[in-house]
Amino acid sequence: MSMKIGFIGPGKMAGAIIKGIFSANYTEKENVFIYGRGKERKEYFASMGCTVCENIKEMTDNCKIIFLAVKPQNFPEIYKIIKPYVSDDILFVSIAAGITFKNMQQNIGENNKFIRVMPNTPMLLGEGASAMCRTENVSDEEYNLIKEILSTCSLVEDIKEEDINAVIAVSGSSPAYIYLIAKCIADYGEKQGLKRETALKLFARTLIGSAKMLTETGYTEDELTEMVSSKGGTTVAATTVLKNSEFFPLLNEAMDACVRRAEELSGK
């Protein structure tokens, strides 16, 4: 295939998507173009076989699909660099939180095509969860191509743009919630005399198994909780404390804060 795909921002998420592109043979390695800062990261992508661009024009001259894989705070700078060289037929795929279609249209071009993706870091292991949406001028063929690419390293769900901030709270940021819980449980296990490594391994495996129970058995969250809980048993003792505490309100408050920050980034 001769399809050429660009990535602005040589970060880890870009790397995960590029590995997916290579694994599925969507295009030759030299047809993946990289632009951005960081000598080590650029050397890393060059070692993978990618074409590292010296300037943004080299990318826009070659690529009809460009992933915007920089942090939201860096978008104003990217807009200034890319604006003079953009043609209407370029499809931009943003993986940044808070950067709306309207924002990109105003700063890149009203006639360009845009897709927004909200991935999460498990994509680095090919186990990501992503949600995506598009502007009306993106064709089904283009949209499905991007969806197929993302599916090499992630589950992908279709959403409306107005729902994307909720997705950030539900899956984009939620790995960090899980890691905080893992730290708490490992700390507790260590305090009780377990080796920290043992506690982490046991809990991590429990997370994997529990996730599969949610996605593969057809049982609801409540039904699965009930399956673990024997009347008067240890699990009921633990879950009663959680239900009677501020655990659920606090978690909801945390997700509300996540959504508010996404709205701030989008200028709402």
Side-chain angles (χ1 to χ4, degrees):
M1 296 177 67
S2 59
M3 176 174 56
K4 296 179 179 180
I5 305 174
F7 286 81
I8 299 177
K12 292 182 178 179
M13 298 300 279
I17 298 170
I18 290 168
K19 285 180 180 178
I21 290 171
F22 290 166
S23 70
N25 295 315
Y26 279 107
T27 192
E28 291 80 11
K29 292 182 177 181
E30 63 270 19
N31 286 338
V32 173
F33 289 69
I34 302 294
Y35 177 82
R37 297 174 179 171
K39 181 181 177 181
E40 288 186 6
R41 292 300 295 173
K42 289 191 287 186
E43 289 176 348
Y44 168 75
F45 285 106
S47 71
M48 289 175 66
C50 301
T51 299
V52 177
C53 301
E54 293 300 321
N55 56 68
I56 202 69
K57 187 175 185 299
E58 183 180 353
M59 180 178 290
T60 56
D61 283 349
N62 283 281
C63 303
K64 297 306 178 187
I65 299 172
I66 297 178
F67 280 78
L68 301 174
V70 298
K71 294 179 180 179
Q73 297 88 334
N74 297 129
F75 267 70
E77 178 186 356
I78 294 302
Y79 290 150
K80 290 179 183 178
I81 295 171
I82 201 171
K83 177 67 175 177
Y85 306 109
V86 172
S87 58
D88 288 349
D89 57 349
I90 295 177
L91 167 62
F92 289 95
V93 183
S94 169
I95 64 171
I99 304 300
T100 64
F101 288 143
K102 182 178 179 181
N103 183 278
M104 289 186 284
Q105 288 167 333
Q106 289 175 339
N107 289 281
I108 295 178
E110 291 286 344
N111 296 323
N112 283 100
K113 294 171 279 191
F114 298 95
I115 290 175
R116 289 186 66 186
V117 179
M118 180 44 52
N120 61 13
T121 54
M123 182 183 280
L124 301 175
L125 297 178
E127 296 289 348
S130 301
M132 60 186 289
C133 52
R134 59 177 162 173
T135 51
E136 291 182 356
N137 57 348
V138 176
S139 69
D140 289 345
E141 182 180 0
E142 291 167 325
Y143 187 76
N144 289 332
L145 172 62
I146 301 304
K147 191 171 185 178
E148 287 174 12
I149 289 172
L150 294 170
S151 294
T152 62
C153 52
S154 177
L155 167 78
V156 185
E157 291 288 328
D158 302 314
I159 60 165
K160 298 177 181 178
E161 187 185 22
E162 55 263 35
D163 296 327
I164 204 163
N165 289 344
V167 170
I168 296 171
V170 168
S171 61
S173 296
S174 62
Y177 320 157
I178 301 300
Y179 303 143
L180 285 173
I181 293 171
K183 183 181 185 306
C184 177
I185 288 178
D187 286 346
Y188 181 82
E190 192 172 31
K191 185 173 68 175
Q192 294 299 314
L194 284 174
K195 291 182 179 178
R196 186 178 190 82
E197 182 182 4
T198 298
L200 275 174
K201 282 183 178 179
L202 289 170
F203 182 64
R205 185 65 183 185
T206 300
L207 285 175
I208 293 170
S210 298
K212 287 186 175 181
M213 292 290 284
L214 279 168
T215 58
E216 297 179 12
T217 65
Y219 290 114
T220 67
E221 309 93 304
D222 289 338
E223 289 170 335
L224 288 169
T225 301
E226 188 66 26
M227 287 170 63
V228 188
S229 306
S230 301
K231 186 176 180 180
T234 57
T235 304
V236 171
T239 54
T240 298
V241 172
L242 292 174
K243 290 175 181 178
N244 292 338
S245 71
E246 294 300 312
F247 178 76
F248 292 108
L250 188 61
L251 188 55
N252 275 277
E253 184 180 341
M255 290 190 285
D256 282 343
C258 184
V259 170
R260 284 196 301 272
R261 180 56 183 151
E263 291 173 346
E264 289 170 1
L265 289 169
S266 65
K268 289 185 178 180

